[in-house]
């Protein structure tokens, strides 16, 4: 393995400088990493921030959802590896001790504040769209607001099910939510291109009603009166499900006007 000293970057007024403290390559196309958390950095579960590095003498930034819980001492992110996609092509080579730029103000609409009160919260994710939900499911206030939290994560291959062990264990060992999660949290992983206990896209699970199967309690359909939805994934997935839920008379929410489902428009374009 190549041995090199940690990379250092010049200060930038618009961004904070943070240090990489952990990198985990979870799959040939997927990795997660954690950085130091500035004392003044505050965020709501589900928000994103700008993150980047020094490339060709200037900061190159990209929006990343925060995967760590709001109470954590470090900030974690989940990213794909894109060979020719700056800054991702360079970011996937980071190591412990390297420095990165971090945005000063997190933001986003994929937050509980943008939803009306409800009973069941469905978190529908594809690929790295899982990231903001990793933060949300470790937020104690979510378990006070909803009787059930159902996380559905769709990927192509089993090895792409990031954080699978922690999710299947219902967040056992989490200092704040493990007791509530044991009863209220349900994890539904599904795989589209190889054999697994649950296969097919999220749309197929809805059509077969498998998404509502035991231990999920309630009607075998989405109910605008009691169900709240968060969507995070590809642009195609977001568009398809936005149209679907609107056809069921769900209204899209925002920070200014809470509704029955939310998406993060910063990633949709």
């Amino acid at each position: 393995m190549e041995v090199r000293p940690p990379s250092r970057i010049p200060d930038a007024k618009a961004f904070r400088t943070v240090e990489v403290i952990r990198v985990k390559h979870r799959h040939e196309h997927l990795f997660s990493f954690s950085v130091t958390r500035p004392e003044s950095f505050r965020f709501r579960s589900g928000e994103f921030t700008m993150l980047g590095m020094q490339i060709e003498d200037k900061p190159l930034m990209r929006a990343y959802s925060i995967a760590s819980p709001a109470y954590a001492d470090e900030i974690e992110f989940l990213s794909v590896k894109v060979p020719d996609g700056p800054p991702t092509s360079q970011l996937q080579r980071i190591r412990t001790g390297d420095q990165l730029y971090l945005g000063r103000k997190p933001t986003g609409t994929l937050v509980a504040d943008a939803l009306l009160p409800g009973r069941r919260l469905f978190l529908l994710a594809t690929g790295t769209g899982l990231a903001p939900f990793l933060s949300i499911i470790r937020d104690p206030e979510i378990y006070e607001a909803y009787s059930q939290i159902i996380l559905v994560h769709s990927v192509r291959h089993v090895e792409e099910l990031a954080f699978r062990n922690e999710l299947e264990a219902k967040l056992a060992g989490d200092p704040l939510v493990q007791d509530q999660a044991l009863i209220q949290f349900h994890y539904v992983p599904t795989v589209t291109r190889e054999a697994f206990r649950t296969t097919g896209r999220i749309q197929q699970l809805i059509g077969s009603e498998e998404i509502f199967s035991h231990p999920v309690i309630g009607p075998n359909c989405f109910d605008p009166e009691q169900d709240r939805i968060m969507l995070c994934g590809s642009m195609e997935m977001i568009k398809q499900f936005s149209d679907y839920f609107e056809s069921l008379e769900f209204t899209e929410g925002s920070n200014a006007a809470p509704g029955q489902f939310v998406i993060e428009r910063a990633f949709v374009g």
Side-chain angles (χ1 to χ4, degrees), residues 148-166:
Q148 295 182 89
I149 296 91
I150 303 100
L151 170 60
V152 185
H153 185 206
S154 174
V155 296
R156 293 170 296 179
H157 303 285
V158 175
E159 59 187 352
E160 296 174 60
L161 290 169
F163 296 87
R164 177 185 170 191
N165 290 340
E166 298 94 318

Side-chain angles (χ1 to χ4, degrees), residues 112-137:
D113 291 342
L115 288 174
L116 294 167
R119 294 187 61 194
R120 300 192 300 190
L121 175 63
F122 287 86
L123 309 173
L124 308 184
T126 59
T128 55
L130 174 70
F133 299 152
L134 292 172
S135 178
I136 288 168
I137 62 174

Side-chain angles (χ1 to χ4, degrees), residues 12-228:
K13 289 185 178 180
F15 309 109
R16 294 181 173 92
T17 300
V18 294
E19 184 172 308
V20 177
I21 55 179
R22 187 179 304 103
V23 181
K24 183 172 182 178
H25 295 275
R26 297 177 174 272
H27 174 257
E28 63 176 316
H29 301 302
L30 185 71
F31 72 109
S32 60
F33 58 99
S34 299
V35 302
T36 52
R37 179 175 180 173
E39 288 187 7
S40 60
F41 189 83
R42 300 288 183 268
F43 66 93
R44 296 177 296 171
S45 302
E47 288 190 316
F48 70 89
T49 189
M50 302 303 293
L51 187 76
M53 50 202 317
Q54 181 86 352
I55 298 177
E56 296 182 355
D57 298 324
K58 63 180 181 180
L60 183 58
M61 310 296 290
R62 177 185 169 187
Y64 280 88
S65 292
I66 301 170
S68 48
Y71 58 79
D73 294 330
E74 58 194 51
I75 311 170
E76 187 168 24
F77 301 94
L78 182 65
S79 178
V80 293
K81 300 178 183 180
V82 181
D84 56 355
T88 311
S89 57
Q90 289 89 346
L91 190 65
Q92 68 192 39
R93 293 195 287 270
I94 59 171
R95 295 182 181 174
T96 301
D98 288 347
Q99 290 182 331
L100 298 174
Y101 290 121
L102 178 73
R104 292 185 177 277
K105 188 177 180 181
T107 188
T109 54
L110 204 65
V111 294
D113 291 342
L115 288 174
L116 294 167
R119 294 187 61 194
R120 300 192 300 190
L121 175 63
F122 287 86
L123 309 173
L124 308 184
T126 59
T128 55
L130 174 70
F133 299 152
L134 292 172
S135 178
I136 288 168
I137 62 174
R138 289 180 283 183
D139 185 339
E141 293 184 2
I142 287 293
Y143 293 88
E144 295 177 6
Y146 298 94
S147 59
Q148 295 182 89
I149 296 91
I150 303 100
L151 170 60
V152 185
H153 185 206
S154 174
V155 296
R156 293 170 296 179
H157 303 285
V158 175
E159 59 187 352
E160 296 174 60
L161 290 169
F163 296 87
R164 177 185 170 191
N165 290 340
E166 298 94 318
L167 297 173
E168 287 185 332
K170 288 180 171 282
L171 307 176
D174 185 280
L176 296 186
V177 304
Q178 65 172 356
D179 293 339
Q180 296 119 306
L182 183 63
I183 300 170
Q184 297 171 243
F185 174 66
H186 310 299
Y187 172 53
V188 184
T190 185
V191 176
T192 61
R193 295 191 182 178
E194 63 179 303
F196 188 62
R197 66 174 184 266
T198 307
T199 58
R201 298 180 182 275
I202 297 175
Q203 300 95 311
Q204 293 172 277
L205 301 189
I206 294 173
S208 67
E209 298 184 357
E210 193 167 0
I211 196 173
F212 306 104
S213 61
H214 181 78
V216 177
I217 301 170
N220 289 348
C221 61
F222 289 112
D223 179 1
E225 293 299 317
Q226 69 169 324
D227 292 332
R228 300 295 172 257

Side-chain angles (χ1 to χ4, degrees), residues 231-250:
L231 306 171
C232 195
S234 66
M235 288 190 290
E236 179 184 1
M237 176 265 202
I238 295 295
K239 178 65 168 61
Q240 179 179 14
F241 277 110
S242 293
D243 291 344
Y244 171 72
F245 285 112
E246 287 176 352
S247 74
L248 297 180
E249 299 186 350
F250 281 71

